[in-house]
Structure formats: structure tokens, C-alpha cells
Amino acid sequence: GAAPQVAVTKVADGVWDLDVVRGNPLAALGASGGAAIEFADHLVMFEPYGSEAQTLARIDAANRLVPGKAVTAIIVSHHHDDHAAGLRAAVSRGLRIIAHRRTRALFEEWVSRPAVHFPDALARNPRPLDFLPVDEHLVLEDSMRRLDVYHAVGDLHMSDAVIAYLPKEQIIMEGDFTDEN
């Protein structure tokens, strides 16, 4: 079918929310995407959320935001399938995966398994996992922006999770810490 539609909302200068809006029952709950963050020469996304098609549509939408800049990395908050389902799609595009160190073995297994019966983007465009581990704190910084990625300690829902924080903009990105009631 057609690629999912992505709604792009500017959150701050150089920060956009990318939400999949068509064919996603979670979109009404605000659980259909994540941020794209601009750096001096590239973009970083938060979460390969949803399906392969949704992740690829979000990557493509992000790549159209700033001429000459493309997504080079995706931060994965945790290993649950709704938050990491697009991981293989992201790897198929050659993107670096940023996540807690203890998720590496799991993600390596996901990437190494063949998709023989239902070839996905990674089966069609095989690439190795490019993994940047987060221990307690990782700083992504250049002349334009600083993004802090922290290990989330003690959460009962998500082991080995990370959150991301833009200090200048005072924006926090997280996977499943909060719940709207």
C-alpha cells in the first residue's frame, strides 16, 4: 500500500515531532512517532516507533526537513516491539542505533536473523548494526546543539531504557515513563 502519512510539527528551532497519522490506531494517543533533532550537519531521530513502513516514512519526512541534512542516527528508548519495531528498517538505511549498552546483544540478534519468508527492508538491503552504546550518560554535541542521552534507572516497565534531553530547549524525550489519564 501507500506509505503512511507523517504529520510534522515544529516543537522548537531545529526540533520537530514526526507522527504517523494514517493507518495508525495509536496516533490518537500521541504514540505514533518521535522527534527529529537538527545538528550542524545531520539529524538525529528519537525512536524507530511502529512498523517498518512507519519508521521509513518518518525517516523520509525528516530527511525533507532541512536541505542538505539527513538522519544519521536513531535513539531507541527501549527494546519493546512498539518502540523498536522499525529498528531493522533503520539499519537498512545505514543509520547508527543509539541505545543502552545492554540492548546491544538483543539488537544484534534482531539484525542478524534472516527474513526469508517475508523479506523486509533489511533483507533487501543488508547492512551490519552500527551501535553507539549509552552507559550512564552520552552527550551528542556540535556547534549547533547539545543532546543528552541518559540511562533510565529503576523503571519497572522498561529495563535498560534511555531518555533524551535537549537542555537549551528544555525538551525531554522518553518512551514509556508517563501515562495520560
Side-chain angles (χ1 to χ4, degrees):
Q5 293 177 332
V6 177
V8 178
T9 305
K10 184 176 180 178
V11 178
D13 286 340
V15 183
W16 300 267
D17 186 39
L18 305 171
D19 281 325
V20 173
V21 293
R22 186 179 62 192
N24 182 4
L26 297 176
L29 301 174
S32 60
I37 303 110
E38 181 184 10
F39 286 84
D41 63 355
H42 67 283
L43 302 169
V44 172
M45 277 180 47
F46 188 80
E47 299 281 53
Y49 197 94
S51 68
E52 171 182 295
Q54 291 170 345
T55 297
L56 293 175
R58 290 179 57 243
I59 292 168
D60 291 343
N63 287 343
R64 290 188 296 271
L65 290 171
V66 183
K69 294 184 185 180
V71 176
T72 61
I74 292 188
I75 300 167
V76 183
S77 69
H78 63 291
H79 70 278
H80 291 167
D81 62 349
D82 52 340
H83 294 266
L87 181 113
R88 287 177 57 93
V91 172
S92 79
R93 293 280 182 93
L95 303 184
R96 172 172 279 174
I97 303 301
I98 301 170
H100 192 271
R101 179 177 300 280
R102 287 189 292 255
T103 62
R104 182 181 195 138
L106 178 63
F107 292 166
E108 283 176 341
E109 182 177 342
W110 287 3
V111 168
S112 69
R113 290 189 176 245
V116 176
H117 298 295
F118 302 98
D120 61 5
L122 187 58
R124 293 186 301 274
N125 189 28
R127 295 184 186 231
L129 177 67
D130 178 2
F131 189 85
L132 179 60
V134 177
D135 289 310
E136 297 308 314
H137 180 213
L138 174 71
V139 176
L140 303 175
E141 185 172 28
D142 65 13
S143 62
M144 182 176 193
R145 177 160 284 114
R146 176 184 173 116
L147 176 65
D148 292 286
V149 184
Y150 294 99
H151 176 212
V153 178
D155 186 75
L156 297 177
H157 175 71
M158 325 172 275
S159 64
D160 303 322
V162 298
I163 61 171
Y165 180 65
L166 290 164
K168 179 182 173 194
E169 297 83 359
Q170 297 183 345
I171 297 172
I172 190 167
M173 292 157 269
E174 53 87 19
D176 278 340
F177 279 144
T178 62
D179 189 12
E180 295 180 30
N181 290 329

